Amino acid sequence: MGRRSSQRRNAAMLDSDDTDSVSSSSTTRSDMMLSGLEEVQFDKETVLDQCVDALYEKRGSTREKALASIIEAFNSNIQHEFVEKKFATLLQQCLCSIKRGSSKEIALASHVIGLLALTAGPGDKAHEILEESVTPISDALKSRSDNSKISSLLECLAIITFVGGEEPEETEKSMQLMWQVINPKLGPNVATAKPSPAMITAVVSCWSFLLTTMDGWTLNPKSWQGSISYFSTLLDKEDRSMRIAAGETLALVFEVGSLEKFSGESNKGSSDSSTDEANKSRKLLHIQGLRAKVLNQVRTLSAEAGGKGSTKKDLNNQRNTFRDILEFLEDGYSPESSTKIGGESFSTSTWAQLIQLNFLKHFLGGGFVKHMQENEFLHDVFGFKPKKKLSGAEQHVSGTEKRMYKSPNSALNKARTQFINKQRMLSQDKNVGYFTGGDEF
């Protein structure tokens, strides 16, 4: 009873408005007790604990607000201490949200699990996240009613596999689960609608993100036969985002190598050496034909004229992407990119690195810079060594954090006010007991 009552009290702050607070004068006096880094640290620990408690609440909107606040906190700081203390609890509650929640709650919970894995970094925790999450995510993917939900589930699966996958078989299993979303016949017999362009784009992006971690020779050839032909058909579709995702994936497939595993030609052993040579020649011709077809498609898209309803920005993005792909296929030059983080730059020089960078930028959003500055796992991924961290309040109290923790309308500020009020009342009760000769506990 005590725990449930505490959870209800903690969850109340997520549904409250400004009228729930006490007078501004008393709040101001209480807030003056905390300043600078101590106040921020207090907010982070208190509100995250309250948000986790709120995930036990029956009201879906309360859980959604709690998950959104957790995402905000994980984007603003690398929550190592919190993950160390509440890793298992947060994971299980997020998995419960995926099993029972609305589409919005599932999307938020999926994002939290991904952030949890990125914060934990490679090791036992990340591997446990992967093992515990694969089945609930797989079950949730069978319902394709909402594109945003499916995209979030796919991105979560990609991130937790990227961080927690310890064996190639684990990564390939996740890639197969993604593939089944757009090729349902490959999975359980479930009646599904035709996948939307947005869903196909999400699958292709997540699939290629995981392919960046694989050695082409370790892939199971039976799983990916015909994938080059499939991506080639996507280049002819009207949706520009789908074309770009398919084009970048094809570039990665050619970069990874071992093209026969993606080409559609199965290996057929034979004791007849002449037959074996004939099979090899046929496979080589088939791969060369596929490559020539893709090359022609890429050349066309690199110079495509604007069509009805296409914006100049989208068209330029497509042209630039396919010009890079064309240069790679014709001359072997991969695109180079440079990203500046806190005054320092790091570069990418392969399709695999570029795909990883763009995917993590998209997933982390406003938290990308913070994680690149302080997340050691991402330092290892990109070979990036940031400048020496600032000390004290300079390190933690950024402009974003000031808005996050200082805004009078933020959930974090409201929670801090409620906590301070509660502590003041407890203190007053003790003082009354002391001056009246009552017992003090």
Side-chain angles (χ1 to χ4, degrees):
M1 286 297 291
R3 176 173 175 76
R4 294 298 298 170
S5 298
S6 173
Q7 290 161 1
R8 284 193 292 271
R9 285 197 300 272
N10 290 334
M13 68 90 177
L14 294 162
D15 290 327
S16 64
D17 54 30
D18 292 340
T19 60
D20 293 331
S21 303
V22 295
S23 68
S24 59
S25 60
S26 61
T27 300
T28 301
R29 287 194 299 270
S30 298
D31 285 354
M32 289 176 63
M33 297 169 62
L34 300 170
S35 62
L37 182 60
E38 292 181 357
E39 181 178 3
V40 173
Q41 190 67 32
F42 169 83
D43 282 336
K44 289 188 295 185
E45 295 176 355
T46 303
V47 175
L48 280 171
D49 286 340
Q50 291 176 330
C51 287
V52 171
D53 284 345
L55 297 180
Y56 289 88
E57 291 299 309
K58 291 183 178 180
R59 186 182 300 177
S61 60
T62 300
R63 299 195 300 269
E64 290 171 6
K65 290 178 182 179
L67 290 166
S69 292
I70 292 171
I71 291 171
E72 189 178 21
F74 270 69
N75 277 341
S76 297
N77 271 287
I78 313 301
Q79 306 289 344
H80 287 305
E81 292 184 11
F82 180 80
V83 169
E84 195 65 31
K85 296 175 184 176
K86 296 292 182 74
F87 149 76
T89 302
L90 180 56
L91 173 61
Q92 291 306 316
Q93 288 310 117
C94 286
L95 292 177
C96 286
S97 289
I98 287 177
K99 293 174 184 177
R100 69 183 181 182
S102 64
S103 291
K104 181 179 179 181
E105 184 177 348
I106 290 172
L108 290 167
S110 299
H111 200 80
V112 170
I113 293 175
L115 289 170
L116 188 62
L118 282 174
T119 304
D124 292 341
K125 286 185 174 64
H127 194 248
E128 183 179 339
I129 292 172
L130 177 60
E131 288 185 322
E132 293 289 322
S133 303
V134 165
T135 298
I137 289 176
S138 177
D139 292 340
L141 284 173
K142 294 174 185 177
S143 171
R144 298 167 174 80
S145 58
D146 186 279
N147 282 333
S148 63
K149 177 188 76 173
I150 298 301
S151 295
S152 295
L153 287 165
L154 289 167
E155 289 173 6
C156 174
L157 181 59
I159 290 291
I160 63 177
T161 306
F162 184 76
V163 183
E166 297 178 351
E167 300 294 335
E169 292 78 12
E170 292 175 316
T171 299
E172 196 157 9
K173 178 182 177 181
S174 293
M175 293 171 71
Q176 288 169 346
L177 290 175
M178 294 171 182
W179 205 247
Q180 289 168 12
V181 173
I182 51 178
N183 297 278
K185 292 181 180 179
L186 298 178
N189 293 323
V190 180
T192 59
K194 185 179 179 180
S196 67
M199 194 178 297
I200 294 173
T201 301
V203 169
V204 173
S205 298
C206 294
W207 187 89
S208 62
F209 177 66
L210 290 185
L211 182 60
T212 64
T213 68
M214 298 289 284
D215 181 342
W217 295 104
T218 65
L219 292 165
N220 182 351
K222 294 182 180 179
S223 300
W224 312 116
Q225 293 296 315
S227 55
I228 291 181
S229 295
Y230 175 75
F231 294 133
S232 175
T233 63
L234 297 184
L235 296 182
D236 293 330
K237 302 297 182 181
E238 293 184 5
D239 188 88
R240 186 159 278 129
S241 296
M242 188 193 303
R243 293 180 195 167
I244 292 174
E248 290 180 339
T249 301
L250 281 166
L252 177 64
V253 167
F254 281 95
E255 183 176 82
V256 167
S258 189
L259 295 180
E260 64 271 18
K261 293 193 175 185
F262 299 95
S263 67
E265 286 288 301
S266 59
N267 293 319
K268 297 178 181 179
S270 173
S271 57
D272 188 332
S273 59
S274 61
T275 302
D276 192 44
E277 287 298 320
N279 285 336
K280 288 181 180 179
S281 297
R282 189 185 70 251
K283 291 175 188 176
L284 180 60
L285 288 173
H286 180 69
I287 291 172
Q288 289 175 340
L290 280 174
R291 191 178 187 281
K293 180 185 177 183
V294 169
L295 189 61
N296 286 331
Q297 290 175 300
V298 168
R299 185 177 290 110
T300 299
L301 290 171
S302 69
E304 184 185 40
K308 183 180 179 181
S310 65
T311 65
K312 186 175 181 180
K313 180 180 178 182
D314 291 341
L315 182 60
N316 287 339
N317 186 26
Q318 174 184 289
R319 286 174 178 168
N320 292 335
T321 299
F322 281 96
R323 283 169 186 165
D324 287 339
I325 297 172
L326 182 63
E327 186 177 16
F328 171 69
L329 293 179
E330 288 186 328
D331 304 319
Y333 295 112
S334 297
E336 295 183 355
S337 71
S338 180
T339 302
K340 184 167 287 189
I341 301 291
E344 286 187 281
S345 297
F346 70 94
S347 302
T348 65
S349 57
T350 66
W351 281 105
Q353 291 172 337
L354 183 61
I355 287 171
Q356 289 176 355
L357 174 63
N358 289 336
F359 191 93
L360 288 165
K361 268 186 179 179
H362 167 75
F363 182 81
L364 288 168
F368 175 73
V369 171
K370 188 70 174 180
H371 276 262
M372 282 302 302
Q373 287 175 327
E374 299 185 18
N375 191 318
E376 293 183 1
F377 170 62
L378 296 189
H379 297 169
D380 293 339
V381 168
F382 295 108
F384 174 62
K385 293 184 179 180
K387 291 180 180 178
K388 187 177 180 181
K389 297 176 183 178
L390 297 173
S391 59
E394 287 183 284
Q395 177 185 348
H396 295 283
V397 189
S398 64
T400 300
E401 289 168 331
K402 286 178 181 178
R403 289 191 297 273
M404 178 179 175
Y405 295 111
K406 303 292 186 180
S407 171
N409 293 321
S410 70
L412 299 175
N413 193 55
K414 292 175 185 177
R416 182 185 68 237
T417 301
Q418 287 198 346
F419 184 87
I420 292 172
N421 291 341
K422 179 180 176 181
Q423 294 300 105
R424 185 193 303 112
M425 287 187 290
L426 290 174
S427 177
Q428 289 173 348
D429 290 343
K430 289 181 180 180
N431 289 338
V432 170
Y434 177 80
F435 287 112
T436 58
D439 294 331
E440 184 175 0
F441 297 93

